[in-house]
């Protein structure tokens, strides 16, 4: 039996770690200082604290497991000129009247013009420009401060068409030439380039020896900027270090005129084996180019242009770029007109002066102007709002039917469930296909021709790096009636086996919000299958069918009406409710239903939405979740509760999984949700409970780990420690093992010095003399390293671990593919061991992490990341449905949300009833 394992397919979204789709801003350039002045460092609160923790160094390498040769998508980089320097300059751009240039995207055109016009004044130096305020050269410019004036033909700030040749000399299409030829449309710009800092390339050599510094990070940043600039010159869409060409063959429709666009991630990394270029296939969402009206109809699933919701359309279109026919000019959409084209008036200046030599103005409708002055008869858009491409006080209206969306525009809103499924389906690639595509992409990228890379002697190998992996054996699992399971290829099943700790279901009812399946048959089958797994299920007290009159009512009303019915017919609160939902995926009853059960009544509930009459396989999967929620255990590690499990059983040990989930991009008003789960009933590592809190939107550090409320600690950690104590025979944990998800390398120091401090404070607040030892690991899935078996079409086997060659030169990290990648290419989890007071050996720690991928109660397969982290995701997601927010896909705008200044009060989650708070309600 194969249950869903939650690993998903191989989907590399370029939307980033948080899925937000908003491009990370680069850090601001350092202040401008003369080259011989040492800047005064401003002391931060963090810097003033003594004994700052830093990520620990590697203690050694693991040895257990069967060795296996592998290839990885890292390409070796040689740096010949390590004696040279990058020079960092700050760039300021102004119009000729002194106003700063704020338009996005125009900077590259201005700097290219400076480079072309003043080549000899610049000593022929090549630029690495980030498109905003930072520029680097290899070797110094002639002067520390240089001013230039350039003239640009006024073309749009948009990129070229994305089909340019790799050397950036792509010729414009006929349409582009027509646009470029408009006479007398030029603009003057002033450019100031000022020296900011000097970066020795020697810092790269130091970083490869594990001696990282600000200089080495800056040097790698310069190399990454060179890659971005190289892609920009080919007209690519840039998303951080990912690049997307305008090639229709790379795009797949996912619904609603949204395309999944396949591109490439390229970034430089320092590793044990030296410098490498990490290159991977990645996907981002773009809007299908073409008539604006077609996009709106498809996006809103509207019948025709006259049934479009224009307030929604206004939010969707804002900031998108269009090409207008017949002039071929490009504009950015700023809004829509308030009235239809045939009614929207504007002031038109007459072309011929009157008798006194003045140009009179007359009021005219947009439709009449286009008909009479431009000689364009509108076919259908006279009755529709106009597109506004002007400024707030000076609108410029264009009829909808003359506007077409240009290519390579990102779609940054949340995808609906069906779009996500289509994206996963269409973007996955088998390992061999991915390797072929990457080899071709590296060739086409033609990095060897990049002048700046050549000037500092950088050459990139075209061969995948060879690494040695080890395949760890799967842990034995304990099942019911003394039987054991030996997972094969990361999987096992419950055929002819019982759950290791089955529960009894005595007082329960069924609620049916759907008329599409035979509920009586489902109940009979569930009782039968439950019996075969060891769960005694009594007949339900009653089946509650929703009345036809409520089916079209709002979700909250439907839930309220159902509970009134239940209360009127039941003698007391049931132990469990099975709920049959009307839709499988985004059913709007789910959130209100869960909230009502868990916060008002303390009832464990399991939802199901069968598309057909469920079979035994489906019901077994359902029972895995029901049994775990009601306090049972489906399977456990054979070594749990035995002295053989030395890393856990020798002293009381609690395992924490921590994660923060954020709203969709652009939703600045939606709180983020922090979830921490903890193991209970030591020495078990298979049972968990969760504590979930809201915090300010997009805040990545968990804020409520230790939280004073008057004289009491009202934080997450205290709640979990008290539960561990009461469920583990009044033993306090002496070892605390923390798995943290969702943070990048740049946030490791905050996790070590802010979050870990709060956890220690929570312990000390409970008992000043209590000094537990800590182990802290970060798990990352949002990276671009992949592994391949040479000469094999298969993914790497489950249990494959890599801790050499492409890992960090100094820090303690490893990659683990615990799961069997059934579709696409396996994405390994990258574990970083930041802190270890307990003193695990590399083998002990790697085996513990591997084992924790086998204790996930919802599935009969190893999962891709440790179970505590998966549970934290689930808990955050479930309680997130309690929060009443607007439809995510509508509230976000295409350019990200605008946050009002000042702190915003965060809506708190309702408290769960005690009897479900300690359960695995999230399972």
């Amino acid at each position: 039996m194969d249950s869903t394992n939650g690993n998903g397919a191989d989907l590399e979204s370029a939307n980033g770690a948080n899925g937000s789709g908003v491009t990370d801003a680069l850090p601001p350039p350092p202040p401008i200082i003369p080259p011989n002045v040492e800047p005064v460092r401003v002391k931060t609160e963090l810097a003033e604290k003594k004994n700052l923790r830093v990520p620990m160094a590697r203690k050694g390498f693991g040895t257990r497991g069967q060795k296996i040769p592998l290839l990885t998508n890292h390409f070796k980089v040689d740096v010949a000129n390590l004696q040279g320097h990058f020079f960092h300059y700050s760039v300021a751009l102004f119009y000729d009247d002194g106003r700063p240039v704020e338009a996005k995207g125009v900077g590259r055109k201005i700097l290219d013009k400076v480079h072309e016009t003043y080549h000899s004044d610049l000593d022929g130096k090549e630029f690495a420009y980030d498109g905003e305020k930072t520029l680097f050269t290899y070797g110094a410019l002639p002067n520390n401060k240089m001013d230039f004036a350039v003239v640009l033909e006024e073309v749009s700030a948009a990129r070229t068409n994305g089909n340019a040749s790799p050397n950036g000399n792509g010729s414009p299409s006929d349409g582009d030439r027509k646009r470029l030829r408009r006479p007398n449309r030029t603009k003057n710009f002033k450019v100031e380039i000022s020296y900011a800092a000097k970066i020795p390339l020697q810092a790269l050599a130091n970083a490869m020896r594990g001696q990282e510094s600000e200089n080495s990070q800056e040097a790698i940043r310069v190399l990454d900027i060179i890659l971005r600039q190289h892609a920009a010159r080919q007209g690519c869409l840039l998303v951080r270090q990912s690049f997307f060409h305008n090639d229709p063959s790379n795009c797949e429709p996912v619904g609603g005129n949204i395309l999944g666009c396949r591109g490439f991630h390229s970034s430089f990394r320092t590793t044990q084996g030296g410098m490498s270029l990490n290159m991977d296939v990645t996907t981002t969402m773009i809007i299908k180019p073409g008539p604006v009206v077609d996009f709106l109809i498809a996006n809103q699933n509207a019948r025709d242009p006259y049934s479009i919701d224009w307030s929604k359309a206004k939010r969707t279109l804002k900031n998108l770029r269009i090409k207008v026919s017949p002039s071929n000019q490009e504009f950015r959409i700023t809004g829509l007109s308030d009235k239809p084209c045939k009614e929207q008036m504007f002031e038109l200046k007459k072309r011929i002066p009157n008798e006194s030599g003045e140009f009179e103005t007359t009021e005219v409708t947009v439709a009449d102007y286009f008909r009479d002055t431009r000689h364009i008869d509108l076919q259908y858009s006279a009755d529709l709002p106009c597109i506004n491409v002007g400024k707030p006080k000076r609108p410029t209206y264009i009829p909808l039917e003359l506007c077409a969306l240009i290519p390579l525009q990102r779609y940054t809103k949340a995808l609906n469930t069906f779009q996500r499924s289509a994206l996963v389906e269409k973007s996955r690639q088998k390992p061999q296909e991915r390797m072929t595509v990457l080899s071709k992409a590296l060739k086409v990228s033609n990095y060897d021709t990049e002048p700046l890379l050549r000037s500092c002697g950088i050459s990139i190998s075209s061969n995948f790096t060879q690494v040695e992996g080890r395949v760890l054996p799967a842990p034995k699992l304990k099942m019911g009636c003394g039987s054991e399971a030996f997972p094969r290829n990361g999987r096992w099943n419950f055929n002819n086996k019982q759950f290791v700790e089955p529960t009894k279901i005595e007082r329960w009812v069924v609620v049916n919000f759907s008329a599409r399946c035979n509920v009586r048959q489902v109940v009979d089958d569930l009782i039968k299958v439950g019996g075969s797994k060891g769960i005694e299920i009594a007949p339900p007290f009653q089946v509650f069918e929703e009345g036809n009159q409520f089916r079209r009512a709002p979700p909250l009303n439907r839930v309220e009406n159902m509970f009134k019915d239940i209360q009127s017919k039941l003698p007391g609160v049931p132990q469990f409710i099975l709920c049959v939902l009307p839709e499988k995926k985004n059913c709007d009853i789910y959130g209100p239903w869960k909230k009502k059960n868990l916060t008002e009544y303390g009832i464990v509930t399991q939802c199901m939405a069968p598309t057909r009459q469920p079979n035994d396989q489906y019901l077994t999967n359902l029972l895995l979740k029901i049994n775990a929620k009601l306090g049972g255990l489906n399977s456990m590690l054979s070594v749990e509760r035995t002295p053989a499990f030395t890393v856990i059983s020798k002293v009381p040990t609690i395992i924490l999984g921590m994660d923060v989930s954020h709203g969709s991009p652009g939703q600045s008003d939606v709180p983020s949700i922090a979830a921490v789960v903890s193991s209970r009933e030591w020495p078990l590592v298979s049972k968990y409970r969760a504590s979930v809190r809201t915090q300010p939107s997009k805040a990545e550090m968990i804020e409520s780990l230790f939280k004073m409320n008057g004289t009491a600690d009202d934080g997450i950690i205290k709640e979990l420690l008290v539960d561990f104590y009461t469920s583990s025979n009044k033993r306090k944990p002496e070892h605390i093992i923390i798995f943290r998800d969702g943070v990048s390398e740049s946030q490791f120091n905050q996790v070590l010095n802010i979050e870990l401090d709060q956890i220690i404070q929570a312990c000390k607040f409970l008992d000043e003399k209590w000094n537990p030892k800590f182990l802290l690991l970060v798990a990352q899935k949002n990276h671009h390293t992949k592994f391949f078996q040479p000469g094999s079409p298969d993914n790497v086997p489950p249990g494959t671990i890599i801790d050499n060659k492409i890992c960090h030169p100094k820090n303690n990290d490893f990659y683990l593919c615990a799961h069997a990648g059934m579709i696409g290419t396996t994405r390994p989890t990258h574990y970083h061991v930041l802190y270890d007071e307990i003193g695990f050996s590399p083998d002990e720690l790697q085996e513990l992490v591997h084992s924790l991928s086998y204790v996930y109660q919802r599935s009969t397969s190893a999962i891709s990341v440790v179970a505590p982290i998966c549970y934290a995701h689930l808990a955050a997601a479930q309680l997130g449905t309690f929060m009443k927010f607007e439809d995510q896909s509508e509230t976000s705008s295409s350019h990200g949300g605008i946050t009002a200044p000042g702190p915003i009060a965060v809506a708190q989650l309702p408290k769960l009833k005690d009897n479900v708070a300690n359960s695995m309600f999230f399972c």
Side-chain angles (χ1 to χ4, degrees):
M1 181 211 112
D2 294 336
S3 169
T4 52
N5 64 10
N7 291 327
D10 169 60
L11 164 60
E12 290 291 350
S13 169
N15 287 348
N18 57 9
S20 74
V22 179
T23 305
D24 287 349
L26 288 165
I32 296 160
I33 51 165
N36 54 350
V37 175
E38 183 67 23
V40 177
R41 295 218 175 269
V42 178
K43 287 186 180 175
T44 62
E45 189 185 337
L46 208 59
E48 282 182 336
K49 289 176 76 173
K50 286 178 184 166
N51 304 326
L52 273 190
R53 301 180 194 97
V54 295
M56 66 178 286
R58 183 184 302 280
K59 291 179 183 172
F61 298 92
T63 57
R64 290 180 195 163
Q66 181 75 41
K67 289 183 179 175
I68 180 173
L70 300 170
L71 297 174
T72 182
N73 58 337
H74 284 238
F75 301 89
K76 184 157 178 55
V77 174
D78 285 314
V79 189
N81 302 345
L82 282 170
Q83 303 314 310
H85 290 80
F86 285 130
F87 282 75
H88 173 185
Y89 296 89
S90 294
V91 176
L93 307 175
F94 303 94
Y95 295 107
D96 57 356
D97 61 3
R99 287 178 301 124
V101 174
E102 287 169 358
K104 289 267 183 189
V106 76
R108 288 193 191 277
K109 288 186 169 61
I110 297 172
L111 264 291
D112 282 348
K113 192 73 174 176
V114 168
H115 190 262
E116 177 193 320
T117 312
Y118 298 98
H119 195 67
S120 55
D121 297 275
L122 296 162
D123 278 0
K125 293 282 182 217
E126 296 294 337
F127 288 169
Y129 176 51
D130 74 348
E132 294 185 20
K133 295 181 178 177
T134 306
L135 181 144
F136 297 93
T137 58
Y138 180 70
L141 293 176
N143 299 306
N144 277 355
K145 193 168 189 313
M146 302 184 81
D147 296 337
F148 304 99
V150 291
V151 180
L152 274 193
E153 287 192 69
E154 193 183 3
V155 293
S156 110
R159 69 184 75 79
T160 55
N161 64 7
N163 289 324
S165 57
N167 59 11
N169 296 328
S171 58
S173 63
D174 289 344
D176 290 334
R177 282 198 193 91
K178 188 173 176 183
R179 190 170 75 247
L180 295 171
R181 273 199 211 114
R182 297 175 65 83
N184 304 324
R185 302 273 308 238
T186 59
K187 268 197 177 167
N188 297 327
F189 296 95
K190 292 176 186 169
V191 181
E192 292 178 3
I193 297 177
S194 317
Y195 172 83
K198 183 173 161 183
I199 304 154
L201 260 71
Q202 189 60 44
L204 289 176
N206 297 343
M208 288 183 263
R209 290 194 294 271
Q211 298 162 9
E212 285 187 325
S213 63
E214 221 169 283
N215 273 338
S216 65
Q217 287 166 359
E218 276 292 281
I220 290 170
R221 181 176 160 224
V222 178
L223 297 179
D224 283 343
I225 285 171
I226 294 170
L227 296 187
R228 282 174 60 82
Q229 176 175 274
H230 187 70
R233 285 178 175 160
Q234 296 174 45
C236 290
L237 164 65
L238 309 183
V239 185
R240 292 184 289 281
Q241 285 302 125
S242 296
F243 318 124
F244 304 88
H245 287 271
N246 180 24
D247 179 353
S249 67
N250 288 337
C251 296
E252 292 280 0
V254 298
N257 264 29
I258 307 302
L259 307 175
C261 180
R262 188 174 284 172
F264 299 96
H265 166 93
S266 286
S267 64
F268 288 98
R269 312 275 303 177
T270 50
T271 68
Q272 291 170 27
M275 181 81 78
S276 70
L277 178 75
N278 178 206
M279 195 162 186
D280 195 20
V281 180
T282 183
T283 304
T284 195
M285 299 300 99
I286 62 168
I287 292 168
K288 185 179 178 181
V292 171
V293 69
D294 290 355
F295 168 65
L296 290 176
I297 289 171
N299 190 250
Q300 295 189 15
N301 205 14
R303 288 190 313 278
D304 52 46
Y306 308 104
S307 47
I308 288 170
D309 175 341
W310 292 104
S311 61
K312 190 173 172 182
K314 186 175 181 178
R315 288 196 298 267
T316 307
L317 293 177
K318 188 158 188 194
N319 281 323
L320 293 179
R321 297 191 311 281
I322 52 169
K323 188 183 278 190
V324 175
S325 61
S327 69
N328 255 344
Q329 279 181 282
E330 275 184 25
F331 297 101
R332 192 178 289 275
I333 297 174
T334 54
L336 297 174
S337 62
D338 296 328
K339 295 175 181 171
C341 223
K342 64 183 183 187
E343 296 172 23
Q344 183 65 53
M345 309 290 286
F346 73 99
E347 286 192 350
L348 177 66
K349 213 182 251 185
K350 289 189 175 176
R351 291 187 169 184
I352 300 163
N354 60 16
E355 292 165 1
S356 41
E358 293 172 348
F359 290 90
E360 293 178 357
T361 59
T362 178
E363 286 243 312
V364 62
T365 69
V366 175
D368 288 347
Y369 165 75
F370 273 87
R371 186 191 63 225
D372 301 337
T373 308
R374 305 286 295 276
H375 309 297
I376 298 170
D377 277 323
L378 300 180
Q379 302 300 306
Y380 61 84
S381 55
D383 296 309
L384 305 175
C386 310
I387 299 285
N388 181 7
V389 296
K391 295 187 167 64
K393 291 180 182 172
R394 286 189 56 200
T396 303
Y397 296 121
I398 301 166
L400 189 68
E401 66 190 66
L402 303 181
C403 302
L405 292 160
I406 66 167
L408 289 183
Q409 298 195 76
R410 289 185 72 208
Y411 182 77
T412 57
K413 296 174 194 56
L415 296 181
N416 63 38
T417 312
F418 305 106
Q419 289 171 324
R420 278 201 305 273
S421 299
L423 178 61
V424 167
E425 182 68 35
K426 291 175 177 179
S427 61
R428 61 194 185 204
Q429 290 176 307
K430 282 287 184 190
Q432 288 295 330
E433 182 193 352
R434 185 175 287 251
M435 287 182 78
T436 305
V437 168
L438 285 176
S439 293
K440 185 181 169 190
L442 187 59
K443 210 174 203 174
V444 168
S445 295
N446 207 5
Y447 289 136
D448 291 342
T449 64
E450 167 55 52
L452 256 173
L453 290 181
R454 290 177 71 176
S455 61
C456 46
I458 285 180
S459 58
I460 299 165
S461 166
S462 56
N463 298 323
F464 287 76
T465 297
Q466 296 179 1
V467 294
E468 183 179 85
R470 291 171 290 113
V471 182
L472 300 178
K476 258 191 317 187
L477 300 176
K478 190 174 178 184
M479 295 189 168
C481 303
S483 66
E484 286 188 319
F486 298 86
R488 295 186 59 179
N489 198 29
R491 294 175 173 270
W492 63 98
N493 62 55
F494 280 100
N495 297 344
N496 306 316
K497 291 190 177 77
Q498 295 191 355
F499 295 155
V500 67
E501 287 181 11
T503 51
K504 278 187 182 179
I505 305 176
E506 292 166 331
R507 292 172 293 107
W508 71 293
V509 296
V510 182
V511 162
N512 184 18
F513 284 105
S514 163
R516 283 185 297 175
C517 73
N518 182 341
V519 177
R520 303 284 168 181
Q521 187 63 53
V522 169
V523 168
D524 291 345
D525 292 347
L526 191 71
I527 291 171
K528 176 174 70 82
V529 175
S532 73
K533 304 301 164 215
I535 300 180
E536 289 179 38
I537 307 176
F541 185 86
Q542 190 160 346
V543 175
F544 293 89
E545 300 275 357
E546 184 179 44
N548 283 335
Q549 71 272 30
F550 299 126
R551 294 238 163 114
R552 297 196 180 279
L556 274 170
N557 296 20
R558 293 174 74 179
V559 170
E560 289 292 340
N561 290 327
M562 186 61 81
F563 262 95
K564 279 179 191 164
D565 197 15
I566 293 170
Q567 280 176 303
S568 68
K569 292 175 183 165
L570 283 191
V573 176
Q575 171 196 9
F576 170 68
I577 300 179
L578 179 66
C579 172
V580 185
L581 292 174
E583 293 108 30
K584 185 171 175 60
K585 295 284 185 181
N586 21 359
C587 179
D588 51 11
I589 295 172
Y590 182 87
W593 174 258
K594 287 285 184 185
K595 182 178 177 183
K596 191 90 176 163
N597 278 277
L598 296 174
T599 65
E600 292 185 33
Y601 293 97
I603 302 171
V604 170
T605 173
Q606 177 61 50
C607 294
M608 63 186 291
T611 48
R612 61 181 80 87
Q613 205 63 27
N615 58 18
D616 285 6
Q617 171 75 60
Y618 182 102
L619 294 172
T620 302
N621 290 348
L622 203 67
L623 284 161
L624 290 172
K625 300 170 75 171
I626 293 168
N627 190 49
K629 286 177 181 180
L630 289 170
L633 264 180
N634 304 325
S635 61
M636 58 196 273
L637 302 174
S638 289
V639 294
E640 279 183 75
R641 292 203 180 116
T642 73
F645 201 21
T646 51
V647 292
I648 299 297
S649 60
K650 62 184 174 187
V651 296
T653 302
I654 188 171
I655 298 175
L656 305 179
M658 310 193 336
D659 185 39
V660 178
S661 70
H662 306 290
S664 296
Q667 289 180 283
S668 57
D669 54 337
V670 177
S672 292
I673 296 178
V676 184
V677 303
S678 62
S679 60
R680 56 200 312 267
E681 297 180 27
W682 173 78
L684 280 183
V685 294
S686 293
K687 273 193 183 178
Y688 293 83
R689 61 99 75 199
S691 180
V692 185
R693 308 285 170 91
T694 50
Q695 59 185 44
S697 179
K698 306 292 185 276
E700 193 49 73
M701 291 299 114
I702 299 177
E703 299 193 352
S704 307
L705 296 170
F706 177 71
K707 189 176 184 182
M708 289 305 294
N709 185 1
T711 56
D713 173 13
D714 195 21
I716 290 173
I717 296 300
K718 179 205 167 182
E719 182 186 326
L720 300 177
L721 290 173
V722 169
D723 173 71
F724 180 89
Y725 181 78
T726 53
S727 70
S728 305
N729 294 323
K730 301 197 171 174
R731 299 288 298 270
K732 283 185 288 194
E734 292 176 37
H735 290 172
I736 298 179
I737 298 175
I738 303 161
F739 289 94
R740 177 68 159 97
D741 189 32
V743 290
S744 62
E745 277 95 332
S746 63
Q747 295 164 318
F748 285 178
N749 286 339
Q750 287 173 280
V751 172
L752 273 168
N753 294 292
I754 298 174
E755 289 186 344
L756 184 54
D757 266 1
Q758 283 191 47
I759 295 169
I760 292 168
Q761 274 181 289
C763 295
K764 291 291 185 191
F765 194 80
L766 285 169
D767 179 355
E768 184 60 43
K769 294 176 183 167
W770 178 28
N771 293 304
K773 291 181 176 176
F774 290 91
L775 168 68
L776 171 58
L777 297 94
V778 167
Q780 291 178 332
K781 289 293 295 284
N782 202 15
H783 60 82
H784 290 277
T785 296
K786 299 285 191 300
F787 298 102
F788 308 91
Q789 294 197 66
S792 166
D794 298 328
N795 269 308
V796 298
T800 299
I801 197 158
I802 297 95
D803 62 1
N804 60 73
K805 201 153 184 182
I806 58 142
C807 289
H808 195 278
K810 177 186 170 194
N811 295 352
N812 190 357
D813 66 328
F814 59 89
Y815 292 90
L816 174 63
C817 304
H819 64 298
M822 306 307 289
I823 48 177
T825 306
T826 299
R827 189 197 315 212
T829 300
H830 192 185
Y831 290 98
H832 301 260
V833 188
L834 299 190
Y835 192 69
D836 180 13
E837 290 180 312
I838 299 170
F840 279 95
S841 73
D843 280 323
E844 282 176 333
L845 182 53
Q846 291 170 9
E847 287 198 339
L848 174 65
V849 171
H850 184 226
S851 296
L852 288 174
S853 302
Y854 280 81
V855 300
Y856 189 56
Q857 296 298 305
R858 284 166 47 121
S859 83
T860 55
S861 56
I863 53 172
S864 61
V865 69
V866 290
I869 281 177
C870 280
Y871 289 145
H873 284 312
L874 292 175
Q878 185 161 132
L879 268 70
T881 65
F882 290 12
M883 307 294 282
K884 184 99 176 75
F885 303 135
E886 288 180 82
D887 178 7
Q888 295 182 1
S889 58
E890 291 178 26
T891 53
S892 58
S893 60
S894 61
H895 62 294
I898 296 162
T899 310
I904 300 169
V906 177
Q908 290 303 310
L909 289 164
K911 280 188 87 67
L912 303 186
K913 289 285 183 186
D914 288 346
N915 57 321
V916 288
N918 292 335
S919 75
M920 289 176 71
F921 66 86
F922 44 80
C923 204

